[in-house]
Amino acid sequence: PRLLGVTPATVLDDWCGGGPLWARTFDTVLGRVGLVFLPRFDAQLFDDPAGLTHDLHNALALARQIGGRMVSLTGLLASATDYGRSAIAALNGDAHLPITTGHGTTAAGVALAVHGALRATGRSLASERLAMLGVGSIGRSTLPLLLDAAHPAEIILCDVFAQARRLAEFRGAIEHEYGYRGPVRLVASRGTVPDEVYGASVIVAAASVPGLLDPERLRAGTIVVDDGFPPGCDPASAWRRCQRAGDVLVLSGGTLCGPAPIIETRYLPSGIDPEVLDQLMPRRAPREIGSCILSGLLSGRFPAAPTTIGFPSAAACRAHLLALSRLGFGAAGPHVGPYRYDPADLSRFSDLGAPAPRAAGSPQPAPPAP
């Protein structure tokens, strides 16, 4: 795709030079984090495992060169490497740096976002019908953290039809390991989000399918926390609905707000227009940082917040949440993508309250008129 006249070849060949690119540095209260880009786009991560291993090897070498002591796989890298397992196996000990998916910190960040949204709108999880859209690593890791705080009135678990067995196993864990006694509904998707999910009052979207969740089908009073990468609910479309009707609240999850400003240094390849860079890497609020970016630093400084390979355990996610809370990290300010809500937006939404339960089999309401 073209971006202000920039083509993929410009990014991969001219800016990256076909190799990893040290793009940013963040100075936080915990220390310094460097962000290294691989010379491939998200859509290319799953096509060439051998090429991805080669790129990871070079990126790890660069990380060592700039002083890195821990590596976190951000974005879709964890998914593309079987949650870090295939990366470690393919590198065969050549990484020389501990690797984490960062999902323990990300799950903690999503849980903080859900709690923050409910608190800001005067609602309680105990009264909500909670839908988990996607029960991969992030979805199944976030739910235990939410259940630690309160048990919702109902839980809806949704994933693709091929994951029906995983859904059933997860329901068993919810009931037997986490002690949940309310109704748990399993919903299989065959390409589109089922009506049952749109019937929830709080939706945690953790599926990496762009545009999967249609903001126009959300019922008035629904809260969505979206940690999909790419976003499961298109930020621009969600923002238009929020601004036009003020009756839904769609939030980006997984971003943390620190106790002090985080200083960001950007490294611009020769000849790049800063305006283009802002579109590729949108600017953030001064105290905010992506949870998966911070995760390696958190695990490196606090052994009690362990690195995670594969699906993180509930205990590991709890440890990450506790470490973040003790350090003064919380949910980022309410936003969806680059769009930020102000107090008036939250007040208007809060006045609606949660959507009333729909009777089984009742038709899905039509979206609001433009």
Side-chain angles (χ1 to χ4, degrees):
R2 291 184 174 271
L3 183 69
L4 297 178
V6 175
T7 66
T10 303
V11 176
L12 300 182
D13 298 334
D14 297 345
W15 297 354
C16 294
L21 173 68
W22 181 15
R24 287 190 274 183
T25 297
F26 302 93
D27 287 288
T28 78
V29 293
L30 285 176
R32 178 171 292 176
V33 181
L35 185 62
V36 173
F37 285 174
L38 269 63
R40 57 182 58 217
F41 291 100
D42 293 335
Q44 300 171 316
L45 291 177
F46 301 88
D47 297 338
D48 179 13
L52 178 58
T53 299
H54 173 77
D55 289 342
L56 282 170
H57 181 277
N58 290 339
L60 289 165
L62 176 57
R64 291 195 302 272
Q65 181 181 343
I66 63 178
R69 287 178 282 179
M70 176 81 69
V71 170
S72 180
L73 302 174
T74 64
L76 289 176
L77 275 175
S79 178
T81 59
D82 189 25
Y83 303 106
R85 289 179 288 234
S86 66
I88 291 176
L91 292 167
N92 195 26
D94 195 34
H96 302 299
L97 291 174
I99 294 176
T100 181
T101 62
H103 285 182
T105 309
T106 299
V110 175
L112 288 169
V114 173
H115 292 314
L118 292 169
R119 185 168 53 249
T121 55
R123 287 162 58 172
S124 168
L125 184 62
S127 303
E128 305 291 338
R129 298 178 314 285
L130 173 66
M132 305 297 298
L133 179 58
V135 292
S137 180
I138 300 302
R140 69 185 298 133
S141 301
T142 300
L143 185 55
L145 301 181
L146 297 178
L147 294 178
D148 285 345
H151 284 191
E154 180 183 7
I155 295 175
I156 302 164
L157 303 177
C158 180
D159 211 316
V160 294
F161 187 77
Q163 299 297 338
R165 181 176 177 180
R166 178 194 289 178
L167 286 174
E169 291 173 348
F170 192 37
R171 176 170 62 182
I174 291 169
E175 295 171 344
H176 301 301
E177 295 180 32
Y178 312 132
Y180 182 73
R181 294 294 176 260
V184 180
R185 298 164 63 187
L186 306 185
V187 182
S189 168
R190 289 179 170 85
T192 59
V193 176
D195 288 348
E196 290 89 341
V197 173
Y198 287 105
S201 57
V202 175
I203 302 172
V204 176
S208 298
V209 180
L212 180 64
L213 196 63
D214 182 358
E216 296 299 342
R217 291 185 62 191
L218 298 173
R219 296 193 300 146
T222 301
I223 295 172
V224 177
V225 174
D226 183 6
D227 190 58
F229 189 88
C233 192
D234 176 63
S237 301
W239 181 252
R240 286 194 295 269
R241 166 82 187 262
C242 296
Q243 294 302 294
R244 183 184 71 243
D247 62 348
V248 298
L249 186 63
V250 181
L251 302 169
S252 296
T255 304
L256 298 166
C257 181
I262 296 169
I263 300 172
E264 177 181 348
T265 304
R266 296 185 170 203
Y267 302 95
L268 275 65
S270 177
I272 185 174
D273 184 341
E275 184 180 357
V276 175
L277 193 69
D278 283 344
Q279 290 201 31
L280 285 172
M281 299 186 292
R283 295 192 178 271
R284 54 177 185 85
R287 291 167 54 193
E288 294 180 0
I289 188 170
S291 53
C292 56
I293 296 174
L294 185 70
S295 188
L297 184 56
L298 187 69
S299 293
R301 290 296 182 92
F302 294 93
T307 58
T308 55
I309 296 297
F311 285 8
S313 67
C317 295
R318 291 183 182 111
H320 281 253
L321 181 59
L322 179 61
L324 290 172
S325 300
R326 287 179 172 174
L327 291 166
F329 283 87
H335 68 286
V336 55
Y339 310 100
R340 293 195 167 264
Y341 298 96
D342 59 33
D345 295 322
L346 297 179
S347 178
R348 182 167 63 150
F349 175 77
S350 299
D351 291 341
L352 294 171
R358 278 195 298 121
S362 61
Q364 182 75 16

